[in-house]
Amino acid sequence: MTNIFENRPGIHAEASNAGNFARRTTQEWQALDAAHHIHPFSDMGSLNKAGSRVITKAEGVYLWDSEGNKIIDGMAGLWCVNVGYGRKELAEVAYKQMLELPYYNTFFKTTHPPVIELSKLLAEVAPEGFEHFFYCNSGSEGNDTVLRIVHQYWSAVGKPAKKYVISRKNGYHGSTIAGASLGGMGYMHEQMPSQVTNIVHINQPYWFGEGEDMSSDEFGLKRAQELEAKILELGAENVAAFIGEPFQGAGGVIFPPATYWPEIQRICRKYDILLCADEVIGGFGRTGEWFAHQHFGFEPDTLTMAKGLTSGYMPMGAVGINKKVAEALINAGDFNHGLTYSGHPVAAAVAVANIKILREGGVIDNVKNVTGPYFQQSLREALADNPLVGEVAGVGLVAGMQLTQDKATRKRFANGGEIGLQCRDHCFASNLIMRATGDRMLLSPPLVITKSEIDEMVGKAKYCLDLTAKELGML
Ligand code: PXG
């Protein structure tokens, strides 16, 4: 291979090998990691004692660790590697774009081909009415952006008093201060003496855990109507927006009852409240539709995107803005928001190539018609006889498995989080990545997973859940 840096003074030839790091032993890597790296959402004291698993390479739906173990990735990284690992076309596009135009901003009357092509393509794959897109680097920044757009919108249409944003307990909208304030994770709020104001939370549509003796449909309506009650309490003239994930991801793959979203939409329209869908996990094919709200059948005003937008090959987030909101925004004068890397050319080029794989490769159609139904059916069949598994929720290639003490009464464990971790430890030892959120186990593999890989993943999940049930004396 020719060295692209050959004739450039000042750049050491080894820079072309920047991706190739010295081979160290696992112990050396772990010691250096413990010495210098603070991990997200981790108890560093105990992690440093145990040592992190060092992931060194990946291909398709598999990861390899520094000990040579081959691991099936049931979480697509962190819900993001939709097209699977090892996609040469994405690497090549990034490489070419870095040589052509590695960076330029879009702040001061400039633009560039990658961000133009990405916006055109997103307008093609997004639902009708979404023709405008704003870019950032993550889902959290996407939701910060949604807040800014919502406030700008109401100010532009002459209703600046509409300031409150309503979201849900156990919703996840990111970890910036605005993302975490919008989110309903109590343990995150506790760490934040200063939160964004004018955000209020209502209860989540978690029927298994909170539905008591209501039918799932009754419960879905009841939880949606909490939105109406909250709007009336605050005064509709003061409420700007409702934001929610079409299904809650980090909160445990909680699928709302079928009655929930239509009622939320009815209420938002009745009181003139913007409806904001956080599609960071649900977007780009997870449910077999391009966006998860299409599965649930509602029409939001904004779409927050990240993760599957680039399949995690580059960091990028975006907000899709529907016509009504975009028109107001465009005619409102300066929009005082932006990030150095808004519309980053390399990320945008990778996003274009990634979306083309999803579209032209028929990946999403395959999830809808072939692998999604196969996965859902296999998982339900495999776990039907395990009394520890109270429900399997999900569609397409995402599933949440509820751990329960008693399936018939939907009784949850008092120490549910511990049992989830016990099961996750078995997964870890069995070279399966399956996440535990409290007492729900989660799967969300790359969208390119094949039927035989699904068999392997489901087989391992069954083994680990059966083993956990045996340890509890339930099987
Ligand atoms: N919205 C949703 C719905 C998300 O799932 C974000 C926003 C924030 O995106 P960024 O790119 O800022 O992380 C997310 C992120 C987990 C887990 O434990 C989930 C996420 C992030 C980290 C951990 O399941 N989702």
Side-chain angles (χ1 to χ4, degrees):
M1 207 170 97
T2 51
N3 182 347
I4 55 162
F5 297 106
E6 221 156 45
N7 302 318
R8 292 175 193 242
I11 298 179
H12 194 276
E14 279 174 20
S16 63
N17 284 329
N20 302 324
F21 296 100
R23 174 85 213 168
R24 300 182 192 274
T25 64
T26 300
Q27 290 71 22
E28 283 168 346
W29 268 320
Q30 287 175 330
L32 286 170
D33 192 68
H36 305 296
H37 178 198
I38 303 288
H39 291 230
F41 283 95
S42 302
D43 170 348
M44 287 313 299
S46 55
L47 180 62
N48 287 347
K49 278 194 206 110
S52 290
R53 195 167 192 171
V54 184
I55 305 298
T56 50
K57 65 169 188 170
E59 180 69 39
V61 299
Y62 293 100
L63 304 164
W64 279 263
D65 70 13
S66 53
E67 296 291 290
N69 294 303
K70 183 181 178 189
I71 306 158
I72 186 158
D73 185 4
M75 284 304 298
L78 203 43
W79 319 84
C80 54
V81 188
N82 290 15
V83 297
Y85 299 96
R87 287 279 184 177
K88 285 207 176 58
E89 54 274 59
L90 298 190
E92 278 160 12
V93 155
Y95 172 82
K96 277 192 205 147
Q97 188 58 49
M98 280 187 189
L99 293 180
E100 184 78 19
L101 179 72
Y103 175 76
Y104 201 69
N105 76 73
T106 49
F107 278 48
F108 308 118
K109 300 187 178 177
T110 53
T111 187
H112 49 70
V115 80
I116 294 167
E117 295 299 337
L118 175 58
S119 306
K120 174 180 174 290
L121 192 54
L122 281 174
E124 285 167 21
V125 301
E128 180 152 350
F130 283 90
E131 291 180 6
H132 293 87
F133 303 88
F134 184 96
Y135 298 96
C136 51
N137 308 289
S138 65
S140 303
E141 288 177 0
N143 287 325
D144 276 47
T145 301
V146 166
L147 271 187
R148 306 286 281 275
I149 290 173
V150 161
H151 295 315
Q152 178 87 342
Y153 171 78
W154 287 117
S155 147
V157 299
K159 295 184 179 175
K162 276 173 137 351
K163 283 204 174 85
Y164 281 104
V165 176
I166 301 175
S167 64
R168 283 119 28 113
K169 292 178 189 157
N170 198 37
Y172 189 83
H173 297 296
S175 196
T176 53
I177 300 283
S181 301
L182 284 170
M185 301 298 184
Y187 55 89
M188 291 174 79
H189 295 166
E190 279 161 26
Q191 279 186 343
M192 294 162 44
S194 37
Q195 287 183 42
V196 173
T197 53
N198 299 324
I199 293 173
V200 291
H201 298 85
I202 57 173
N203 283 309
Q204 57 176 332
Y206 175 29
W207 176 75
F208 191 99
E210 299 171 5
E212 297 177 346
D213 53 5
M214 271 173 273
S215 73
S216 136
D217 280 354
E218 280 168 351
F219 177 72
L221 277 183
K222 183 159 185 274
R223 282 288 154 102
Q225 284 157 3
E226 280 195 22
L227 174 62
E228 187 157 30
K230 186 56 81 180
I231 292 169
L232 293 174
E233 179 193 320
L234 298 167
E237 68 284 5
N238 300 316
V239 181
F242 173 77
I243 185 167
E245 305 152 81
F247 65 89
Q248 290 152 259
V253 182
I254 291 168
F255 264 62
T259 48
Y260 182 77
W261 279 112
E263 183 67 358
I264 291 280
Q265 173 162 290
R266 182 191 69 77
I267 294 165
C268 286
R269 293 205 174 139
K270 178 171 176 193
Y271 296 102
D272 199 13
I273 309 290
L274 294 179
L275 177 49
C276 303
D278 184 339
E279 291 275 6
V280 168
I281 284 179
F284 300 96
R286 184 56 52 200
T287 62
E289 304 289 344
W290 275 90
F291 295 94
H293 73 265
Q294 295 168 305
H295 169 76
F296 292 101
F298 66 99
E299 292 174 4
D301 295 298
T302 66
L303 299 179
T304 316
M305 302 173 249
K307 297 193 190 269
L309 170 62
T310 56
S311 284
Y313 279 65
M314 289 294 289
M316 185 175 230
V319 177
I321 310 162
N322 77 359
K323 268 188 191 156
K324 171 178 96 174
V325 178
E327 257 164 41
L329 204 64
I330 289 163
N331 294 312
D334 277 341
F335 182 45
N336 295 312
H337 173 53
L339 303 142
T340 302
Y341 301 127
S342 286
H344 192 283
V346 181
V350 169
V352 168
N354 171 63
I355 293 168
K356 285 188 174 164
I357 293 172
L358 290 173
R359 186 169 71 175
E360 276 119 58
V363 175
I364 297 179
D365 288 344
N366 199 49
V367 172
K368 188 179 173 84
N369 299 313
V370 184
T371 48
Y374 183 76
F375 168 63
Q376 296 295 334
Q377 195 190 341
S378 310
L379 198 59
R380 282 168 175 77
E381 276 172 18
L383 302 175
D385 295 332
N386 184 336
L388 176 62
V389 182
E391 72 162 2
V392 177
V395 71
L397 286 174
V398 60
M401 289 146 271
Q402 175 77 45
L403 305 183
T404 184
Q405 204 169 342
D406 180 32
K407 219 168 177 164
T409 58
R410 309 199 313 271
K411 185 170 187 224
R412 288 184 294 159
F413 291 101
N415 58 348
E418 281 174 33
I419 294 173
L421 287 182
Q422 191 175 324
C423 181
R424 202 197 55 189
D425 286 346
H426 294 316
C427 300
F428 212 70
S430 309
N431 290 328
L432 163 69
I433 305 267
M434 174 158 79
R435 224 167 104 37
T437 279
D439 50 9
R440 285 174 84 85
M441 303 306 299
L442 319 181
L443 284 173
S444 178
L447 303 185
V448 293
I449 192 167
T450 62
K451 280 187 174 178
S452 64
E453 290 163 345
I454 289 173
D455 291 344
E456 179 190 342
M457 180 176 71
V458 169
K460 285 188 172 188
K462 175 180 167 52
Y463 168 79
C464 297
L465 283 156
D466 286 354
L467 193 57
T468 311
K470 280 180 197 146
E471 285 168 346
L472 294 169
M474 296 171 81
L475 252 187

